[in-house]
Amino acid sequence: MRVEIWSDIACPWCYVGKARFEKALAAFPHRDEVEVVHRSFELDPGRAKGDVQPVITMLTKKYGMDEARAQAAEDSLGAQAAAEGLDYRTRGRDHGNTFDMHRLLHFAKEQGRQDELIQTLYRANFAEERSLFTGGDELLVELAVEAGLEAEAARAVLADPAAYADEVRADESEAAQLGANGVPFFVLDRTYGVSGAQPAEVFAQALTQAWGERSPLKLVDQGDQGDGAACGPDGCAVPQH
């Protein structure tokens, strides 16, 4: 079974939702047969790469709240993250464009290190004193290396604005087609969708339901033709003259 997760590195609920989903997945009896794929979604796609501002400032402008209310929202998020065992800095974080990070995540997927990279990026953005948005490409390369990627290969991806750009846009287009206008958004076997950072119990129920309702493979009726010649672990069918 495949679970696709549309998310953005700048999204705190994606950070929390990933932890809740993984808690459910860890207890799922068929967890070893579940493939998890991370898909791209930008919360602020129109923001220029160099346009960086404090999270509190972003919240006040985007939602029309005062600074006290914005800080209270961050404190509440910090408490919910802590409940999932996650570190979360409620002061001093900033916000910016995440497009290059998504391009790097597509590269990491090809290398089999996508989950490691997204977790490393989340940690840097939400838990550590490292700014993804002011640290430049070299910080992203450093984080890519921490996730198990080759430094020069990651640097080459970031240096080429076209690298994996189409893949990011394709993910975002697909999200729109699926009706996802916010993240995190979880799609299980292209049959069930779960929107938001739901409790682990909701993810557990979704996994169980999606697994139980998988359609078994139906073979085409071959009539009088019988089984066609094939090869298997014990060898191949021998033609009969």
Side-chain angles (χ1 to χ4, degrees), residues 188-203:
L188 291 76
D189 254 4
R190 290 300 171 107
T191 303
Y192 293 97
V194 178
S195 180
Q198 299 291 341
E201 293 78 12
V202 173
F203 289 121

mmCIF file with all atom_site columns, all heavy atoms in Angstrom, residues 188-203:
data_model
loop_
_atom_site.group_PDB
_atom_site.id
_atom_site.type_symbol
_atom_site.label_atom_id
_atom_site.label_alt_id
_atom_site.label_comp_id
_atom_site.label_asym_id
_atom_site.label_entity_id
_atom_site.label_seq_id
_atom_site.pdbx_PDB_ins_code
_atom_site.Cartn_x
_atom_site.Cartn_y
_atom_site.Cartn_z
_atom_site.occupancy
_atom_site.B_iso_or_equiv
_atom_site.pdbx_formal_charge
_atom_site.auth_seq_id
_atom_site.auth_comp_id
_atom_site.auth_asym_id
_atom_site.auth_atom_id
_atom_site.pdbx_PDB_model_num
ATOM 1   N N   . LEU A 1 188 ? -4.172  7.658  0.770  1.00 0.00 ? 188 LEU A N   1
ATOM 2   C CA  . LEU A 1 188 ? -3.874  6.247  0.966  1.00 0.00 ? 188 LEU A CA  1
ATOM 3   C C   . LEU A 1 188 ? -4.354  5.452  -0.230 1.00 0.00 ? 188 LEU A C   1
ATOM 4   O O   . LEU A 1 188 ? -5.575  5.384  -0.491 1.00 0.00 ? 188 LEU A O   1
ATOM 5   C CB  . LEU A 1 188 ? -4.541  5.726  2.240  1.00 0.00 ? 188 LEU A CB  1
ATOM 6   C CG  . LEU A 1 188 ? -4.005  6.252  3.577  1.00 0.00 ? 188 LEU A CG  1
ATOM 7   C CD1 . LEU A 1 188 ? -4.491  7.675  3.854  1.00 0.00 ? 188 LEU A CD1 1
ATOM 8   C CD2 . LEU A 1 188 ? -4.412  5.341  4.734  1.00 0.00 ? 188 LEU A CD2 1
ATOM 9   N N   . ASP A 1 189 ? -3.411  4.889  -0.963 1.00 0.00 ? 189 ASP A N   1
ATOM 10  C CA  . ASP A 1 189 ? -3.711  4.039  -2.120 1.00 0.00 ? 189 ASP A CA  1
ATOM 11  C C   . ASP A 1 189 ? -4.650  4.709  -3.120 1.00 0.00 ? 189 ASP A C   1
ATOM 12  O O   . ASP A 1 189 ? -5.424  4.024  -3.796 1.00 0.00 ? 189 ASP A O   1
ATOM 13  C CB  . ASP A 1 189 ? -4.303  2.699  -1.653 1.00 0.00 ? 189 ASP A CB  1
ATOM 14  C CG  . ASP A 1 189 ? -3.295  1.565  -1.791 1.00 0.00 ? 189 ASP A CG  1
ATOM 15  O OD1 . ASP A 1 189 ? -2.136  1.828  -2.163 1.00 0.00 ? 189 ASP A OD1 1
ATOM 16  O OD2 . ASP A 1 189 ? -3.663  0.411  -1.516 1.00 0.00 ? 189 ASP A OD2 1
ATOM 17  N N   . ARG A 1 190 ? -4.580  6.022  -3.220 1.00 0.00 ? 190 ARG A N   1
ATOM 18  C CA  . ARG A 1 190 ? -5.425  6.793  -4.138 1.00 0.00 ? 190 ARG A CA  1
ATOM 19  C C   . ARG A 1 190 ? -6.919  6.478  -3.944 1.00 0.00 ? 190 ARG A C   1
ATOM 20  O O   . ARG A 1 190 ? -7.715  6.645  -4.862 1.00 0.00 ? 190 ARG A O   1
ATOM 21  C CB  . ARG A 1 190 ? -5.005  6.557  -5.595 1.00 0.00 ? 190 ARG A CB  1
ATOM 22  C CG  . ARG A 1 190 ? -3.654  7.182  -5.928 1.00 0.00 ? 190 ARG A CG  1
ATOM 23  C CD  . ARG A 1 190 ? -3.720  8.692  -5.713 1.00 0.00 ? 190 ARG A CD  1
ATOM 24  N NE  . ARG A 1 190 ? -2.431  9.347  -5.806 1.00 0.00 ? 190 ARG A NE  1
ATOM 25  C CZ  . ARG A 1 190 ? -2.072  10.118 -6.839 1.00 0.00 ? 190 ARG A CZ  1
ATOM 26  N NH1 . ARG A 1 190 ? -2.908  10.298 -7.845 1.00 0.00 ? 190 ARG A NH1 1
ATOM 27  N NH2 . ARG A 1 190 ? -0.892  10.705 -6.838 1.00 0.00 ? 190 ARG A NH2 1
ATOM 28  N N   . THR A 1 191 ? -7.260  6.068  -2.720 1.00 0.00 ? 191 THR A N   1
ATOM 29  C CA  . THR A 1 191 ? -8.647  5.722  -2.414 1.00 0.00 ? 191 THR A CA  1
ATOM 30  C C   . THR A 1 191 ? -9.197  6.564  -1.277 1.00 0.00 ? 191 THR A C   1
ATOM 31  O O   . THR A 1 191 ? -10.344 7.004  -1.318 1.00 0.00 ? 191 THR A O   1
ATOM 32  C CB  . THR A 1 191 ? -8.761  4.231  -2.036 1.00 0.00 ? 191 THR A CB  1
ATOM 33  O OG1 . THR A 1 191 ? -8.245  3.440  -3.104 1.00 0.00 ? 191 THR A OG1 1
ATOM 34  C CG2 . THR A 1 191 ? -10.203 3.842  -1.762 1.00 0.00 ? 191 THR A CG2 1
ATOM 35  N N   . TYR A 1 192 ? -8.376  6.799  -0.259 1.00 0.00 ? 192 TYR A N   1
ATOM 36  C CA  . TYR A 1 192 ? -8.802  7.558  0.907  1.00 0.00 ? 192 TYR A CA  1
ATOM 37  C C   . TYR A 1 192 ? -7.893  8.765  1.118  1.00 0.00 ? 192 TYR A C   1
ATOM 38  O O   . TYR A 1 192 ? -6.684  8.693  0.876  1.00 0.00 ? 192 TYR A O   1
ATOM 39  C CB  . TYR A 1 192 ? -8.781  6.686  2.165  1.00 0.00 ? 192 TYR A CB  1
ATOM 40  C CG  . TYR A 1 192 ? -9.809  5.582  2.152  1.00 0.00 ? 192 TYR A CG  1
ATOM 41  C CD1 . TYR A 1 192 ? -9.478  4.295  1.760  1.00 0.00 ? 192 TYR A CD1 1
ATOM 42  C CD2 . TYR A 1 192 ? -11.131 5.839  2.523  1.00 0.00 ? 192 TYR A CD2 1
ATOM 43  C CE1 . TYR A 1 192 ? -10.429 3.283  1.722  1.00 0.00 ? 192 TYR A CE1 1
ATOM 44  C CE2 . TYR A 1 192 ? -12.088 4.835  2.492  1.00 0.00 ? 192 TYR A CE2 1
ATOM 45  C CZ  . TYR A 1 192 ? -11.739 3.567  2.093  1.00 0.00 ? 192 TYR A CZ  1
ATOM 46  O OH  . TYR A 1 192 ? -12.688 2.576  2.057  1.00 0.00 ? 192 TYR A OH  1
ATOM 47  N N   . GLY A 1 193 ? -8.491  9.855  1.580  1.00 0.00 ? 193 GLY A N   1
ATOM 48  C CA  . GLY A 1 193 ? -7.724  11.048 1.907  1.00 0.00 ? 193 GLY A CA  1
ATOM 49  C C   . GLY A 1 193 ? -7.938  11.446 3.354  1.00 0.00 ? 193 GLY A C   1
ATOM 50  O O   . GLY A 1 193 ? -9.051  11.309 3.893  1.00 0.00 ? 193 GLY A O   1
ATOM 51  N N   . VAL A 1 194 ? -6.883  11.921 3.986  1.00 0.00 ? 194 VAL A N   1
ATOM 52  C CA  . VAL A 1 194 ? -6.963  12.442 5.349  1.00 0.00 ? 194 VAL A CA  1
ATOM 53  C C   . VAL A 1 194 ? -6.357  13.841 5.326  1.00 0.00 ? 194 VAL A C   1
ATOM 54  O O   . VAL A 1 194 ? -5.209  14.020 4.942  1.00 0.00 ? 194 VAL A O   1
ATOM 55  C CB  . VAL A 1 194 ? -6.197  11.556 6.357  1.00 0.00 ? 194 VAL A CB  1
ATOM 56  C CG1 . VAL A 1 194 ? -6.267  12.177 7.759  1.00 0.00 ? 194 VAL A CG1 1
ATOM 57  C CG2 . VAL A 1 194 ? -6.762  10.145 6.372  1.00 0.00 ? 194 VAL A CG2 1
ATOM 58  N N   . SER A 1 195 ? -7.143  14.815 5.723  1.00 0.00 ? 195 SER A N   1
ATOM 59  C CA  . SER A 1 195 ? -6.695  16.197 5.688  1.00 0.00 ? 195 SER A CA  1
ATOM 60  C C   . SER A 1 195 ? -6.326  16.687 7.075  1.00 0.00 ? 195 SER A C   1
ATOM 61  O O   . SER A 1 195 ? -7.087  16.506 8.032  1.00 0.00 ? 195 SER A O   1
ATOM 62  C CB  . SER A 1 195 ? -7.804  17.085 5.103  1.00 0.00 ? 195 SER A CB  1
ATOM 63  O OG  . SER A 1 195 ? -7.402  18.440 5.059  1.00 0.00 ? 195 SER A OG  1
ATOM 64  N N   . GLY A 1 196 ? -5.155  17.287 7.193  1.00 0.00 ? 196 GLY A N   1
ATOM 65  C CA  . GLY A 1 196 ? -4.735  17.885 8.452  1.00 0.00 ? 196 GLY A CA  1
ATOM 66  C C   . GLY A 1 196 ? -3.957  16.956 9.358  1.00 0.00 ? 196 GLY A C   1
ATOM 67  O O   . GLY A 1 196 ? -3.828  15.760 9.111  1.00 0.00 ? 196 GLY A O   1
ATOM 68  N N   . ALA A 1 197 ? -3.425  17.550 10.431 1.00 0.00 ? 197 ALA A N   1
ATOM 69  C CA  . ALA A 1 197 ? -2.630  16.799 11.415 1.00 0.00 ? 197 ALA A CA  1
ATOM 70  C C   . ALA A 1 197 ? -3.559  16.114 12.401 1.00 0.00 ? 197 ALA A C   1
ATOM 71  O O   . ALA A 1 197 ? -3.679  16.512 13.562 1.00 0.00 ? 197 ALA A O   1
ATOM 72  C CB  . ALA A 1 197 ? -1.672  17.739 12.138 1.00 0.00 ? 197 ALA A CB  1
ATOM 73  N N   . GLN A 1 198 ? -4.238  15.095 11.935 1.00 0.00 ? 198 GLN A N   1
ATOM 74  C CA  . GLN A 1 198 ? -5.211  14.377 12.741 1.00 0.00 ? 198 GLN A CA  1
ATOM 75  C C   . GLN A 1 198 ? -4.524  13.591 13.866 1.00 0.00 ? 198 GLN A C   1
ATOM 76  O O   . GLN A 1 198 ? -3.324  13.291 13.788 1.00 0.00 ? 198 GLN A O   1
ATOM 77  C CB  . GLN A 1 198 ? -6.003  13.418 11.866 1.00 0.00 ? 198 GLN A CB  1
ATOM 78  C CG  . GLN A 1 198 ? -6.788  14.083 10.751 1.00 0.00 ? 198 GLN A CG  1
ATOM 79  C CD  . GLN A 1 198 ? -7.950  14.907 11.250 1.00 0.00 ? 198 GLN A CD  1
ATOM 80  O OE1 . GLN A 1 198 ? -8.407  14.735 12.382 1.00 0.00 ? 198 GLN A OE1 1
ATOM 81  N NE2 . GLN A 1 198 ? -8.429  15.818 10.412 1.00 0.00 ? 198 GLN A NE2 1
ATOM 82  N N   . PRO A 1 199 ? -5.270  13.223 14.909 1.00 0.00 ? 199 PRO A N   1
ATOM 83  C CA  . PRO A 1 199 ? -4.700  12.359 15.944 1.00 0.00 ? 199 PRO A CA  1
ATOM 84  C C   . PRO A 1 199 ? -4.243  11.026 15.370 1.00 0.00 ? 199 PRO A C   1
ATOM 85  O O   . PRO A 1 199 ? -4.757  10.578 14.332 1.00 0.00 ? 199 PRO A O   1
ATOM 86  C CB  . PRO A 1 199 ? -5.867  12.168 16.924 1.00 0.00 ? 199 PRO A CB  1
ATOM 87  C CG  . PRO A 1 199 ? -6.780  13.331 16.677 1.00 0.00 ? 199 PRO A CG  1
ATOM 88  C CD  . PRO A 1 199 ? -6.656  13.634 15.204 1.00 0.00 ? 199 PRO A CD  1
ATOM 89  N N   . ALA A 1 200 ? -3.304  10.394 16.042 1.00 0.00 ? 200 ALA A N   1
ATOM 90  C CA  . ALA A 1 200 ? -2.778  9.109  15.569 1.00 0.00 ? 200 ALA A CA  1
ATOM 91  C C   . ALA A 1 200 ? -3.889  8.084  15.391 1.00 0.00 ? 200 ALA A C   1
ATOM 92  O O   . ALA A 1 200 ? -3.827  7.240  14.484 1.00 0.00 ? 200 ALA A O   1
ATOM 93  C CB  . ALA A 1 200 ? -1.728  8.589  16.544 1.00 0.00 ? 200 ALA A CB  1
ATOM 94  N N   . GLU A 1 201 ? -4.934  8.166  16.216 1.00 0.00 ? 201 GLU A N   1
ATOM 95  C CA  . GLU A 1 201 ? -6.026  7.204  16.129 1.00 0.00 ? 201 GLU A CA  1
ATOM 96  C C   . GLU A 1 201 ? -6.752  7.302  14.789 1.00 0.00 ? 201 GLU A C   1
ATOM 97  O O   . GLU A 1 201 ? -7.215  6.290  14.241 1.00 0.00 ? 201 GLU A O   1
ATOM 98  C CB  . GLU A 1 201 ? -7.018  7.429  17.278 1.00 0.00 ? 201 GLU A CB  1
ATOM 99  C CG  . GLU A 1 201 ? -6.486  7.122  18.662 1.00 0.00 ? 201 GLU A CG  1
ATOM 100 C CD  . GLU A 1 201 ? -5.574  8.215  19.216 1.00 0.00 ? 201 GLU A CD  1
ATOM 101 O OE1 . GLU A 1 201 ? -5.540  9.322  18.613 1.00 0.00 ? 201 GLU A OE1 1
ATOM 102 O OE2 . GLU A 1 201 ? -4.911  7.965  20.230 1.00 0.00 ? 201 GLU A OE2 1
ATOM 103 N N   . VAL A 1 202 ? -6.864  8.510  14.256 1.00 0.00 ? 202 VAL A N   1
ATOM 104 C CA  . VAL A 1 202 ? -7.524  8.693  12.956 1.00 0.00 ? 202 VAL A CA  1
ATOM 105 C C   . VAL A 1 202 ? -6.686  8.066  11.848 1.00 0.00 ? 202 VAL A C   1
ATOM 106 O O   . VAL A 1 202 ? -7.207  7.389  10.958 1.00 0.00 ? 202 VAL A O   1
ATOM 107 C CB  . VAL A 1 202 ? -7.775  10.188 12.681 1.00 0.00 ? 202 VAL A CB  1
ATOM 108 C CG1 . VAL A 1 202 ? -8.299  10.392 11.248 1.00 0.00 ? 202 VAL A CG1 1
ATOM 109 C CG2 . VAL A 1 202 ? -8.755  10.758 13.695 1.00 0.00 ? 202 VAL A CG2 1
ATOM 110 N N   . PHE A 1 203 ? -5.366  8.273  11.931 1.00 0.00 ? 203 PHE A N   1
ATOM 111 C CA  . PHE A 1 203 ? -4.486  7.668  10.929 1.00 0.00 ? 203 PHE A CA  1
ATOM 112 C C   . PHE A 1 203 ? -4.511  6.141  11.039 1.00 0.00 ? 203 PHE A C   1
ATOM 113 O O   . PHE A 1 203 ? -4.484  5.449  10.022 1.00 0.00 ? 203 PHE A O   1
ATOM 114 C CB  . PHE A 1 203 ? -3.057  8.177  11.101 1.00 0.00 ? 203 PHE A CB  1
ATOM 115 C CG  . PHE A 1 203 ? -2.877  9.613  10.689 1.00 0.00 ? 203 PHE A CG  1
ATOM 116 C CD1 . PHE A 1 203 ? -2.422  10.555 11.584 1.00 0.00 ? 203 PHE A CD1 1
ATOM 117 C CD2 . PHE A 1 203 ? -3.161  10.016 9.389  1.00 0.00 ? 203 PHE A CD2 1
ATOM 118 C CE1 . PHE A 1 203 ? -2.258  11.874 11.208 1.00 0.00 ? 203 PHE A CE1 1
ATOM 119 C CE2 . PHE A 1 203 ? -2.999  11.331 9.004  1.00 0.00 ? 203 PHE A CE2 1
ATOM 120 C CZ  . PHE A 1 203 ? -2.547  12.270 9.910  1.00 0.00 ? 203 PHE A CZ  1
#
